[in-house]
Amino acid sequence: GAGVSQSPSNKVTEKGKDVELRCDPISGHTALYWYRQRLGQGLEFLIYFQGNSAPDKSGLPSDRFSAERTGESVSTLTIQRTQQEDSAVYLCASRKAGTTHEQYFGPGTRLTVT
Amino acid sequence: AQSVTQPDIHITVSEGASLELRCNYSYGATPYLFWYVQSPGQGLQLLLKYFSGDTLVQGIKGFEAEFKRSQSSFNLRKPSVHWSDAAEYFCAVGAGGNTGKLIFGQGTTLQVKP
């Protein structure tokens, strides 16, 4: 089957605008993660969804960041009033139920805030 | 708190030479450890993982890694590097708990000389 997909692949936006990033996980994967990768750095955990449980939002850097996921399907990450420091690659990953930590990553969305 | 350190930001090796990428972690219990590879413009691909048992684990593309508890290390090795191995390599540790989220090192960029 298909892997994790993300859209758009690239997004350029002006400072202060809102952006929405989309992630389609692998079908049947119950867990979904968002990470941020700044230039030259490792991945930072942002948020985690597991089925219908309350998400783990502990990695969201500010209240400008939010994410939603309906059931076990698509997730959207929204960044309001974007700032230049939000420029990064945003990666989504999904994990199958019953596995431990084995995440499958999408290609990412490169966000540039001008 | 858990953390991962990859001491080498950039490594250059000649094609055909052996490779070792270093990874040190900080974690209170037996860790779940991972190595991922990220090629330009692509998402992360899992190379190998350690959960328990044999401390020498084999992965894809001819890579292996050895878990050394006494040194808190999980170094990645390959006996003979190919030009196609040029990429960025990330070591990660499972953060514990039920979320399965990963904590990543800052990455090591591998350059392969012809």
Side-chain angles (χ1 to χ4, degrees), chain A residues 6-8 11 13 16-23 32-36 46-47 49 57 59-70 74-83 86 90-92 109 111 113:
Chain A
Q6 293 185 246
S7 60
K11 176 71 176 178
T13 190
K17 301 280 190 182
D18 298 351
V19 295
E20 190 173 277
L21 312 180
R22 177 187 170 107
C23 172
L32 186 146
Y33 305 79
W34 284 97
Y35 292 86
R36 177 172 69 177
L46 296 177
I47 189 168
F49 295 92
K57 305 180 182 180
L60 294 179
S62 77
D63 59 8
R64 296 186 295 105
F65 287 72
S66 62
E68 293 183 349
R69 185 185 190 199
T70 304
V74 170
S75 175
T76 55
L77 176 69
T78 301
I79 308 173
Q80 296 178 310
R81 306 181 303 280
T82 52
Q83 304 294 312
D86 299 333
Y90 290 83
L91 289 156
C92 174
T109 294
L111 175 66
V113 182

Side-chain angles (χ1 to χ4, degrees), chain B residues 64 81 100:
Chain B
E64 67 178 26
V81 169

Side-chain angles (χ1 to χ4, degrees), chain B residues 37 52 86-87 102 114:
Chain B
V37 60
S52 64
L102 298 174

Side-chain angles (χ1 to χ4, degrees), chain A residues 33 35 37 42 48 100-101 103, chain B residues 32 34 38 90 99-100 102:
Chain A
Y33 305 79
Y35 292 86
Q37 184 180 21
Y48 158 72
T100 306
H101 296 84
Q103 298 175 25
Chain B
Y32 294 153
F34 303 81
Q38 185 179 38
F90 291 95
T99 65
L102 298 174

Side-chain angles (χ1 to χ4, degrees), chain B residues 33-82:
Chain B
L33 294 162
F34 303 81
W35 275 99
Y36 282 87
V37 60
Q38 185 179 38
S39 298
Q42 300 193 17
L44 276 73
Q45 181 181 23
L46 179 66
L47 283 176
L48 46 78
K49 60 185 183 284
Y50 171 78
F51 289 168
S52 64
D54 193 347
T55 57
L56 184 64
V57 294
Q58 304 296 321
I60 62 171
K61 304 185 179 185
F63 285 92
E64 67 178 26
E66 186 171 13
F67 169 59
K68 293 185 177 180
R69 184 187 299 276
S70 62
Q71 299 177 18
S72 297
S73 69
F74 188 57
N75 294 349
L76 181 72
R77 301 194 294 247
K78 187 170 185 177
S80 177
V81 169
H82 188 263

